[in-house]
Amino acid sequence: MKRSENLKKLIFYIVSSAIAVIMVMPFIWSLLTSIKPDTEIFRIPLQWLPSTITFEQYIEAFESVPFGRYLFNSLYLAVMGVFFNLLFGSMSGYAFAKLKFKGRKVIFAVLLAAMMIPGVVVMIPQYIVLNNMPLMGGNDILGQGGHGLLNNFWAVILPGAAGSFAVFFMRQFFLTLPDEYMESARIDGCSEFRIYWNLYLPLTKPALATLGIFTFQAGWNSFLWPLIVLNDRSLYTVQIGLQAFTFDKQTAYGPMMAATIIIILPIVALFMYLQKYFIDGANFSGIKS
C-alpha cells in the first residue's frame, strides 16, 4: 500500500515538474534572448546561454521607440482602472451586501447576466457611445460633429471604471462580514457612508488587494480596446507599442524580448508585494451566496 502511494506521488511530481518546465520555457528563452548579443539570437544550432551577457537590447528598446512613454501610459491606465474599480466596486458591493432596498435582487441578477456577455460583443456599442459623447471632443449638445472621447485616455478608463466582476467580488466578501458591526454603528448615530468607509472598508484589505491585482493585470495587458480607441502614437500602451519593434517586414527580436521582460516585471512585483492579501482574499471571498 505504502509503496503504491509513494509511486503515485513520484509520478505526480515528475509529471507536474515536466509541465512546469514546458510552461516556463518561453519565459526563460525570452529572458536569455534579452541579454544576448544580436549575433547569437538566431545562431544554429540554438545557443541557450549567451557567451557574454549584455544589456544592449534593453538600451535599444528605449532608444529605438518611445518605450518609456508607453510604460507611463500603461501604468497610468492600469492605476486609474484599479482606483475606480476598488472605489466603485467596494461601494456597490457594500450596497448589495448590507443595504436593503427595493429591486436589489433584480439589479444584482442583471449584473450577473452582464458578466456572461463577452467583451467583444459590447465593443461596438461602447465605441458609438464614446464617439457621440455630448460636448466632448468637438461634439455639440447632440453628440455630433466631433470624435467625443475617442483618442483620449478616458475612452479606456470609463468603460471599465465599475466592472461587473469588481461589484460581484466585493459583494461576496462583504457578505462574510458580520452585520452586528453595522447595527451597532447605526445605534451610535454613524452615517451610512461612514459605516462603509471607516468600519467595513478597512476589513476588506484582502479582497481589495486581490481585486487590485486582477484589475491591474487586466489593464496592464489590455490590447484590443486601447488599439481601437487610441490612434495617437503618444497615447499607445506597452502592448500596442510592442508592434513598433516590427518594421519593414523585419522584427528586432532582441529589443522586443527585452521590452517583454520589462512588461512582466510590474505584475510580478505587485503579486509578490500583495501575495499575503491575495491568498487571504482568494480563500475567503465567495463563501456566502
Side-chain angles (χ1 to χ4, degrees):
M1 259 320 259
K2 190 174 181 180
R3 182 178 298 178
S4 176
E5 291 180 0
N6 291 336
L7 181 60
K8 289 180 180 179
K9 288 183 179 180
L10 178 62
I11 295 175
F12 172 78
Y13 286 125
I14 292 175
V15 173
S16 300
S17 300
I19 294 175
V21 170
I22 294 174
M23 295 295 291
V24 80
M25 285 297 283
F27 173 76
I28 294 177
W29 187 85
S30 299
L31 178 61
L32 294 176
T33 301
S34 70
I35 56 176
K36 287 180 182 178
D38 287 331
T39 55
E40 297 181 5
I41 293 179
F42 294 105
R43 178 173 293 179
I44 299 176
L46 181 64
Q47 180 179 337
W48 279 88
L49 298 177
S51 58
T52 57
I53 296 178
T54 176
F55 295 99
E56 64 182 19
Q57 309 296 358
Y58 290 87
I59 298 174
E60 181 68 18
F62 284 92
E63 290 183 347
S64 58
V65 300
F67 193 69
R69 180 66 185 181
Y70 300 157
L71 283 172
F72 174 81
N73 294 342
S74 288
L75 183 62
Y76 174 77
L77 292 174
V79 170
M80 291 294 286
V82 170
F83 171 78
F84 283 114
N85 269 271
L86 294 188
L87 178 63
F88 296 140
S90 61
M91 293 177 67
S92 302
Y94 172 81
F96 280 117
K98 299 301 180 183
L99 303 183
K100 310 298 182 183
F101 55 91
K102 190 175 181 179
R104 181 183 63 163
K105 293 184 178 180
V106 175
I107 297 175
F108 189 71
V110 172
L111 182 73
L112 292 180
M115 293 177 59
M116 303 176 189
I117 302 176
V120 293
V121 175
V122 298
M123 281 187 176
I124 294 178
Q126 284 181 350
Y127 185 92
I128 294 174
V129 170
L130 292 171
N131 186 46
N132 294 279
M133 191 70 67
L135 304 178
M136 295 291 180
N139 284 347
D140 56 24
I141 190 66
L142 299 177
Q144 304 296 322
H147 55 78
L149 286 178
L150 296 181
N151 207 29
N152 188 297
F153 281 146
W154 287 107
V156 179
I157 297 171
L158 287 180
S164 300
F165 174 76
V167 177
F168 169 77
F169 186 83
M170 293 305 301
R171 182 254 186 187
Q172 296 303 102
F173 196 91
F174 275 115
L175 286 175
T176 67
L177 303 178
D179 293 339
E180 287 77 9
Y181 298 156
M182 175 179 60
E183 295 169 358
S184 299
R186 285 175 178 170
I187 293 174
D188 292 336
C190 287
S191 64
E192 204 63 52
F193 182 80
R194 188 176 179 186
I195 295 174
Y196 151 76
W197 187 262
N198 295 108
L199 185 60
Y200 277 96
L201 192 62
L203 299 176
T204 63
K205 287 182 180 179
L208 292 175
T210 305
L211 180 60
I213 292 175
F214 287 153
T215 307
F216 186 90
Q217 182 178 13
W220 185 261
N221 293 331
S222 181
F223 172 76
L224 183 56
W225 184 245
L227 180 64
I228 293 174
V229 298
L230 301 178
N231 298 319
D232 189 343
R233 289 184 175 273
S234 65
L235 301 179
Y236 278 4
T237 62
V238 288
Q239 307 300 336
I240 304 176
L242 286 177
Q243 68 179 344
F245 295 104
T246 300
F247 48 89
D248 294 335
K249 299 182 180 180
Q250 294 183 349
T251 302
Y253 285 101
M256 179 180 285
M257 292 303 103
T260 302
I261 297 300
I262 295 173
I263 292 172
I264 295 173
L265 292 180
I267 300 294
V268 176
L270 184 66
F271 177 79
M272 295 300 293
Y273 180 72
L274 300 176
Q275 184 176 9
K276 176 181 180 298
Y277 293 118
F278 177 83
I279 295 173
D280 291 342
N283 287 336
F284 291 107
S285 294
I287 294 178
K288 292 186 178 182
S289 60

